[in-house]
PDB file of all heavy atoms in Angstrom:
ATOM      1  N   LEU A 547      -6.446   1.784  60.867  1.00  0.00           N
ATOM      2  CA  LEU A 547      -6.406   0.375  61.301  1.00  0.00           C
ATOM      3  C   LEU A 547      -6.852   0.258  62.755  1.00  0.00           C
ATOM      4  O   LEU A 547      -6.487   1.092  63.602  1.00  0.00           O
ATOM      5  CB  LEU A 547      -4.973  -0.181  61.190  1.00  0.00           C
ATOM      6  CG  LEU A 547      -4.393  -0.479  59.810  1.00  0.00           C
ATOM      7  CD1 LEU A 547      -2.962  -0.980  59.985  1.00  0.00           C
ATOM      8  CD2 LEU A 547      -5.233  -1.518  59.088  1.00  0.00           C
ATOM      9  N   GLN A 548      -7.628  -0.774  63.047  1.00  0.00           N
ATOM     10  CA  GLN A 548      -7.997  -1.061  64.438  1.00  0.00           C
ATOM     11  C   GLN A 548      -6.841  -1.829  65.085  1.00  0.00           C
ATOM     12  O   GLN A 548      -6.575  -2.981  64.766  1.00  0.00           O
ATOM     13  CB  GLN A 548      -9.282  -1.906  64.469  1.00  0.00           C
ATOM     14  CG  GLN A 548     -10.525  -1.169  64.019  1.00  0.00           C
ATOM     15  CD  GLN A 548     -10.887  -0.047  64.990  1.00  0.00           C
ATOM     16  OE1 GLN A 548     -10.809  -0.213  66.220  1.00  0.00           O
ATOM     17  NE2 GLN A 548     -11.260   1.108  64.438  1.00  0.00           N
ATOM     18  N   ASP A 549      -6.078  -1.153  65.989  1.00  0.00           N
ATOM     19  CA  ASP A 549      -4.922  -1.794  66.620  1.00  0.00           C
ATOM     20  C   ASP A 549      -4.615  -1.051  67.917  1.00  0.00           C
ATOM     21  O   ASP A 549      -4.373   0.161  67.917  1.00  0.00           O
ATOM     22  CB  ASP A 549      -3.714  -1.742  65.685  1.00  0.00           C
ATOM     23  CG  ASP A 549      -2.595  -2.688  66.149  1.00  0.00           C
ATOM     24  OD1 ASP A 549      -2.718  -3.258  67.254  1.00  0.00           O
ATOM     25  OD2 ASP A 549      -1.632  -2.849  65.394  1.00  0.00           O
ATOM     26  N   THR A 550      -4.612  -1.782  69.009  1.00  0.00           N
ATOM     27  CA  THR A 550      -4.385  -1.164  70.328  1.00  0.00           C
ATOM     28  C   THR A 550      -2.898  -1.095  70.693  1.00  0.00           C
ATOM     29  O   THR A 550      -2.524  -0.505  71.712  1.00  0.00           O
ATOM     30  CB  THR A 550      -5.138  -1.950  71.423  1.00  0.00           C
ATOM     31  OG1 THR A 550      -4.709  -3.316  71.399  1.00  0.00           O
ATOM     32  CG2 THR A 550      -6.642  -1.876  71.188  1.00  0.00           C
ATOM     33  N   ARG A 551      -2.041  -1.719  69.862  1.00  0.00           N
ATOM     34  CA  ARG A 551      -0.611  -1.753  70.170  1.00  0.00           C
ATOM     35  C   ARG A 551       0.012  -0.365  69.946  1.00  0.00           C
ATOM     36  O   ARG A 551      -0.603   0.530  69.346  1.00  0.00           O
ATOM     37  CB  ARG A 551       0.101  -2.787  69.296  1.00  0.00           C
ATOM     38  CG  ARG A 551      -0.357  -4.228  69.563  1.00  0.00           C
ATOM     39  CD  ARG A 551       0.250  -5.158  68.511  1.00  0.00           C
ATOM     40  NE  ARG A 551      -0.139  -6.544  68.729  1.00  0.00           N
ATOM     41  CZ  ARG A 551      -1.294  -7.075  68.360  1.00  0.00           C
ATOM     42  NH1 ARG A 551      -2.202  -6.314  67.762  1.00  0.00           N
ATOM     43  NH2 ARG A 551      -1.569  -8.343  68.599  1.00  0.00           N
ATOM     44  N   LYS A 552       1.284  -0.258  70.372  1.00  0.00           N
ATOM     45  CA  LYS A 552       2.005   0.979  70.136  1.00  0.00           C
ATOM     46  C   LYS A 552       2.321   1.140  68.650  1.00  0.00           C
ATOM     47  O   LYS A 552       2.334   0.168  67.899  1.00  0.00           O
ATOM     48  CB  LYS A 552       3.297   1.000  70.961  1.00  0.00           C
ATOM     49  CG  LYS A 552       3.061   1.063  72.465  1.00  0.00           C
ATOM     50  CD  LYS A 552       4.372   1.133  73.217  1.00  0.00           C
ATOM     51  CE  LYS A 552       4.135   1.240  74.720  1.00  0.00           C
ATOM     52  NZ  LYS A 552       5.404   1.335  75.480  1.00  0.00           N
ATOM     53  N   GLU A 553       2.644   2.386  68.247  1.00  0.00           N
ATOM     54  CA  GLU A 553       2.895   2.679  66.839  1.00  0.00           C
ATOM     55  C   GLU A 553       4.033   1.825  66.266  1.00  0.00           C
ATOM     56  O   GLU A 553       3.962   1.340  65.129  1.00  0.00           O
ATOM     57  CB  GLU A 553       3.242   4.171  66.645  1.00  0.00           C
ATOM     58  CG  GLU A 553       2.090   5.123  66.865  1.00  0.00           C
ATOM     59  CD  GLU A 553       1.904   5.461  68.345  1.00  0.00           C
ATOM     60  OE1 GLU A 553       2.627   4.882  69.193  1.00  0.00           O
ATOM     61  OE2 GLU A 553       1.020   6.276  68.651  1.00  0.00           O
ATOM     62  N   GLN A 554       5.119   1.631  67.066  1.00  0.00           N
ATOM     63  CA  GLN A 554       6.250   0.849  66.574  1.00  0.00           C
ATOM     64  C   GLN A 554       5.841  -0.603  66.293  1.00  0.00           C
ATOM     65  O   GLN A 554       6.279  -1.211  65.318  1.00  0.00           O
ATOM     66  CB  GLN A 554       7.414   0.871  67.586  1.00  0.00           C
ATOM     67  CG  GLN A 554       8.061   2.227  67.775  1.00  0.00           C
ATOM     68  CD  GLN A 554       7.341   3.056  68.838  1.00  0.00           C
ATOM     69  OE1 GLN A 554       6.201   2.742  69.215  1.00  0.00           O
ATOM     70  NE2 GLN A 554       8.022   4.102  69.304  1.00  0.00           N
ATOM     71  N   GLU A 555       5.005  -1.154  67.148  1.00  0.00           N
ATOM     72  CA  GLU A 555       4.557  -2.532  66.961  1.00  0.00           C
ATOM     73  C   GLU A 555       3.642  -2.654  65.743  1.00  0.00           C
ATOM     74  O   GLU A 555       3.695  -3.628  64.992  1.00  0.00           O
ATOM     75  CB  GLU A 555       3.829  -3.023  68.218  1.00  0.00           C
ATOM     76  CG  GLU A 555       4.748  -3.162  69.430  1.00  0.00           C
ATOM     77  CD  GLU A 555       3.981  -3.614  70.658  1.00  0.00           C
ATOM     78  OE1 GLU A 555       3.029  -4.412  70.488  1.00  0.00           O
ATOM     79  OE2 GLU A 555       4.321  -3.179  71.757  1.00  0.00           O
ATOM     80  N   THR A 556       2.791  -1.649  65.536  1.00  0.00           N
ATOM     81  CA  THR A 556       1.905  -1.645  64.356  1.00  0.00           C
ATOM     82  C   THR A 556       2.743  -1.614  63.081  1.00  0.00           C
ATOM     83  O   THR A 556       2.477  -2.345  62.116  1.00  0.00           O
ATOM     84  CB  THR A 556       0.949  -0.440  64.394  1.00  0.00           C
ATOM     85  OG1 THR A 556       0.178  -0.499  65.585  1.00  0.00           O
ATOM     86  CG2 THR A 556       0.041  -0.427  63.184  1.00  0.00           C
ATOM     87  N   ALA A 557       3.789  -0.753  63.071  1.00  0.00           N
ATOM     88  CA  ALA A 557       4.668  -0.652  61.894  1.00  0.00           C
ATOM     89  C   ALA A 557       5.363  -1.973  61.626  1.00  0.00           C
ATOM     90  O   ALA A 557       5.533  -2.397  60.475  1.00  0.00           O
ATOM     91  CB  ALA A 557       5.686   0.457  62.107  1.00  0.00           C
ATOM     92  N   ARG A 559       4.217  -4.978  62.393  1.00  0.00           N
ATOM     93  CA  ARG A 559       3.210  -5.891  61.834  1.00  0.00           C
ATOM     94  C   ARG A 559       2.998  -5.597  60.336  1.00  0.00           C
ATOM     95  O   ARG A 559       2.836  -6.504  59.522  1.00  0.00           O
ATOM     96  CB  ARG A 559       1.889  -5.749  62.592  1.00  0.00           C
ATOM     97  CG  ARG A 559       1.904  -6.319  64.006  1.00  0.00           C
ATOM     98  CD  ARG A 559       0.548  -6.195  64.629  1.00  0.00           C
ATOM     99  NE  ARG A 559      -0.425  -7.019  63.931  1.00  0.00           N
ATOM    100  CZ  ARG A 559      -1.742  -6.815  63.951  1.00  0.00           C
ATOM    101  NH1 ARG A 559      -2.241  -5.783  64.647  1.00  0.00           N
ATOM    102  NH2 ARG A 559      -2.557  -7.626  63.304  1.00  0.00           N
ATOM    103  N   ALA A 591       1.003   6.206  62.960  1.00  0.00           N
ATOM    104  CA  ALA A 591       0.799   7.293  63.927  1.00  0.00           C
ATOM    105  C   ALA A 591      -0.464   7.012  64.737  1.00  0.00           C
ATOM    106  O   ALA A 591      -1.358   6.287  64.298  1.00  0.00           O
ATOM    107  CB  ALA A 591       0.671   8.627  63.191  1.00  0.00           C
ATOM    108  N   ALA A 592      -0.513   7.611  65.939  1.00  0.00           N
ATOM    109  CA  ALA A 592      -1.684   7.433  66.790  1.00  0.00           C
ATOM    110  C   ALA A 592      -2.851   8.274  66.291  1.00  0.00           C
ATOM    111  O   ALA A 592      -2.655   9.351  65.725  1.00  0.00           O
ATOM    112  CB  ALA A 592      -1.340   7.825  68.234  1.00  0.00           C
ATOM    113  N   HIS A 593      -4.051   7.791  66.522  1.00  0.00           N
ATOM    114  CA  HIS A 593      -5.239   8.547  66.151  1.00  0.00           C
ATOM    115  C   HIS A 593      -5.477   9.615  67.214  1.00  0.00           C
ATOM    116  O   HIS A 593      -5.336   9.365  68.421  1.00  0.00           O
ATOM    117  CB  HIS A 593      -6.450   7.599  66.055  1.00  0.00           C
ATOM    118  CG  HIS A 593      -7.618   8.215  65.352  1.00  0.00           C
ATOM    119  ND1 HIS A 593      -8.474   9.098  65.999  1.00  0.00           N
ATOM    120  CD2 HIS A 593      -8.090   8.076  64.097  1.00  0.00           C
ATOM    121  CE1 HIS A 593      -9.414   9.476  65.147  1.00  0.00           C
ATOM    122  NE2 HIS A 593      -9.201   8.853  63.968  1.00  0.00           N
ATOM    123  N   ASP A 596      -9.130   8.413  68.926  1.00  0.00           N
ATOM    124  CA  ASP A 596      -9.439   7.025  69.280  1.00  0.00           C
ATOM    125  C   ASP A 596      -8.141   6.255  69.553  1.00  0.00           C
ATOM    126  O   ASP A 596      -7.387   5.937  68.632  1.00  0.00           O
ATOM    127  CB  ASP A 596     -10.216   6.364  68.144  1.00  0.00           C
ATOM    128  CG  ASP A 596     -10.676   4.960  68.494  1.00  0.00           C
ATOM    129  OD1 ASP A 596     -10.384   4.492  69.619  1.00  0.00           O
ATOM    130  OD2 ASP A 596     -11.330   4.334  67.636  1.00  0.00           O
ATOM    131  N   PRO A 597      -7.837   5.924  70.822  1.00  0.00           N
ATOM    132  CA  PRO A 597      -6.577   5.227  71.161  1.00  0.00           C
ATOM    133  C   PRO A 597      -6.486   3.831  70.555  1.00  0.00           C
ATOM    134  O   PRO A 597      -5.381   3.311  70.387  1.00  0.00           O
ATOM    135  CB  PRO A 597      -6.614   5.139  72.689  1.00  0.00           C
ATOM    136  CG  PRO A 597      -7.706   6.026  73.138  1.00  0.00           C
ATOM    137  CD  PRO A 597      -8.638   6.247  72.019  1.00  0.00           C
ATOM    138  N   SER A 598      -7.638   3.203  70.216  1.00  0.00           N
ATOM    139  CA  SER A 598      -7.620   1.842  69.656  1.00  0.00           C
ATOM    140  C   SER A 598      -7.404   1.842  68.143  1.00  0.00           C
ATOM    141  O   SER A 598      -7.406   0.792  67.505  1.00  0.00           O
ATOM    142  CB  SER A 598      -8.941   1.128  69.980  1.00  0.00           C
ATOM    143  OG  SER A 598     -10.029   1.774  69.344  1.00  0.00           O
ATOM    144  N   THR A 599      -7.232   3.022  67.581  1.00  0.00           N
ATOM    145  CA  THR A 599      -7.059   3.131  66.122  1.00  0.00           C
ATOM    146  C   THR A 599      -5.709   3.753  65.807  1.00  0.00           C
ATOM    147  O   THR A 599      -5.276   4.704  66.462  1.00  0.00           O
ATOM    148  CB  THR A 599      -8.181   3.997  65.488  1.00  0.00           C
ATOM    149  OG1 THR A 599      -9.440   3.392  65.778  1.00  0.00           O
ATOM    150  CG2 THR A 599      -7.995   4.108  63.985  1.00  0.00           C
ATOM    151  N   LYS A 600      -5.035   3.161  64.816  1.00  0.00           N
ATOM    152  CA  LYS A 600      -3.771   3.728  64.330  1.00  0.00           C
ATOM    153  C   LYS A 600      -3.991   4.251  62.894  1.00  0.00           C
ATOM    154  O   LYS A 600      -4.787   3.707  62.135  1.00  0.00           O
ATOM    155  CB  LYS A 600      -2.662   2.674  64.312  1.00  0.00           C
ATOM    156  CG  LYS A 600      -2.328   2.139  65.708  1.00  0.00           C
ATOM    157  CD  LYS A 600      -1.745   3.234  66.577  1.00  0.00           C
ATOM    158  CE  LYS A 600      -1.396   2.706  67.966  1.00  0.00           C
ATOM    159  NZ  LYS A 600      -2.610   2.382  68.774  1.00  0.00           N
ATOM    160  N   VAL A 601      -3.228   5.298  62.543  1.00  0.00           N
ATOM    161  CA  VAL A 601      -3.312   5.890  61.196  1.00  0.00           C
ATOM    162  C   VAL A 601      -2.026   5.568  60.448  1.00  0.00           C
ATOM    163  O   VAL A 601      -0.930   5.900  60.928  1.00  0.00           O
ATOM    164  CB  VAL A 601      -3.527   7.420  61.255  1.00  0.00           C
ATOM    165  CG1 VAL A 601      -3.569   7.990  59.837  1.00  0.00           C
ATOM    166  CG2 VAL A 601      -4.798   7.750  62.023  1.00  0.00           C
ATOM    167  N   LEU A 625      -4.772  -6.049  58.736  1.00  0.00           N
ATOM    168  CA  LEU A 625      -3.595  -6.898  58.915  1.00  0.00           C
ATOM    169  C   LEU A 625      -4.030  -8.270  59.446  1.00  0.00           C
ATOM    170  O   LEU A 625      -5.042  -8.377  60.163  1.00  0.00           O
ATOM    171  CB  LEU A 625      -2.626  -6.252  59.909  1.00  0.00           C
ATOM    172  CG  LEU A 625      -2.087  -4.867  59.517  1.00  0.00           C
ATOM    173  CD1 LEU A 625      -1.237  -4.316  60.673  1.00  0.00           C
ATOM    174  CD2 LEU A 625      -1.269  -4.959  58.239  1.00  0.00           C
ATOM    175  N   GLN A 627      -4.325 -11.437  61.867  1.00  0.00           N
ATOM    176  CA  GLN A 627      -4.307 -11.500  63.335  1.00  0.00           C
ATOM    177  C   GLN A 627      -2.990 -12.090  63.838  1.00  0.00           C
ATOM    178  O   GLN A 627      -2.511 -13.103  63.333  1.00  0.00           O
ATOM    179  CB  GLN A 627      -5.468 -12.366  63.836  1.00  0.00           C
ATOM    180  CG  GLN A 627      -6.838 -11.753  63.586  1.00  0.00           C
ATOM    181  CD  GLN A 627      -7.034 -10.465  64.373  1.00  0.00           C
ATOM    182  OE1 GLN A 627      -6.578 -10.361  65.528  1.00  0.00           O
ATOM    183  NE2 GLN A 627      -7.699  -9.493  63.751  1.00  0.00           N
ATOM    184  N   ALA A 628      -2.417 -11.436  64.852  1.00  0.00           N
ATOM    185  CA  ALA A 628      -1.169 -11.941  65.445  1.00  0.00           C
ATOM    186  C   ALA A 628      -1.488 -13.136  66.324  1.00  0.00           C
ATOM    187  O   ALA A 628      -2.549 -13.182  66.972  1.00  0.00           O
ATOM    188  CB  ALA A 628      -0.492 -10.848  66.259  1.00  0.00           C
TER     189      ALA A 628
END
Side-chain angles (χ1 to χ4, degrees):
L547 287 179
Q548 291 294 319
D549 194 353
T550 57
R551 296 172 179 81
K552 293 182 178 181
E553 290 84 356
Q554 294 87 344
E555 293 179 35
T556 301
R559 289 183 65 203
H593 195 280
D596 185 0
S598 64
T599 301
K600 297 295 181 290
V601 178
L625 300 175
Q627 293 295 322

